[in-house]
Amino acid sequence: MQTLESLGLFGLFCICFISSSLYPLGSEVFVSFFTTLDYPLFLVWSVATIGNTLGSLSTYAIGYWGENFILAKHFTKPRNLEKYLIFINKYGFIGAFFSFLPFLGDIFAFVLGATRYPFLKATFFIFLGKGLRYYLLIYLTKLFYF
C-alpha cells in the first residue's frame, strides 16, 4: 500500500480503471484505503468512479470493435440475433447500470459494445451504477472505520 499511497490519486485511478477492464482486480479495498487518507472524500469518489467507468468503456470498446467476430460466431440464425438486439435495445440500461458487479459487469459492458448499444446511454448508466456503488462504499467505510 505504501507504493500506491505514493502514487496518490493517479494510482487510485489506475487501480479502478484496471479493475473494471477485463483484468480481475477488486478496487473496493483500495477505495476504502484512500478514504482513510487525507484526501477529500468527493475527490476519492470522483477519481474512483471516473476510472472505473472508463475501464468499463474500454471493455465496451472491445465488444464494439469485435462485434462482427462475436455475433457471427455465436448467432448463426439472424432471427435469434434480431430478438436479442431488440431485448438489448430495450433493457440494455439495466446491464449498463449493473456493470459494477464482479465478472458479470465485464460481460454486460462487452455485450453492450458488441450489440452497439448507444454509447452515451451506456456511459451514463455505467457511471450512475459505479458512482452509487462507490458512494455507498465510502459512506460505509467512513461509518465503520471512524
Side-chain angles (χ1 to χ4, degrees), residues 3-141:
T3 305
L4 183 61
E5 187 177 347
S6 67
L7 290 174
L9 293 173
F10 177 72
L12 178 64
F13 176 86
C14 291
I15 291 292
C16 290
F17 180 90
I18 292 168
S19 71
S20 187
S21 63
L22 293 175
Y23 188 78
L25 177 69
S27 62
E28 293 81 6
V29 173
F30 298 99
V31 173
S32 294
F33 172 70
F34 269 83
T35 61
T36 64
L37 302 177
D38 289 332
Y39 294 106
L41 296 180
F42 180 75
L43 195 55
V44 171
W45 175 84
S46 299
V47 168
T49 302
I50 291 169
N52 216 244
T53 299
L54 291 175
S56 282
L57 291 177
S58 71
T59 305
Y60 174 96
I62 291 169
Y64 188 88
W65 285 309
E67 166 252 343
N68 288 334
F69 171 74
I70 297 159
L71 296 181
K73 184 174 181 169
H74 296 289
F75 292 97
T76 54
K77 297 179 184 174
R79 186 179 154 144
N80 290 347
L81 176 60
E82 189 175 305
K83 284 181 182 180
Y84 187 68
L85 290 175
I86 290 170
F87 180 81
I88 291 293
N89 282 327
K90 191 172 184 179
Y91 299 108
F93 71 94
I94 296 170
F97 179 81
F98 285 107
S99 67
F100 66 82
L101 294 173
F103 184 67
L104 287 176
D106 294 336
I107 294 171
F108 291 154
F110 186 80
V111 168
L112 289 171
T115 57
R116 305 223 174 210
Y117 189 76
F119 177 76
L120 291 177
K121 228 171 146 177
T123 303
F124 175 76
F125 285 106
I126 288 170
F127 182 84
L128 190 65
K130 290 177 183 288
L132 181 61
R133 175 191 58 172
Y134 282 131
Y135 175 81
L136 291 173
L137 177 68
I138 290 170
Y139 175 78
L140 292 173
T141 301

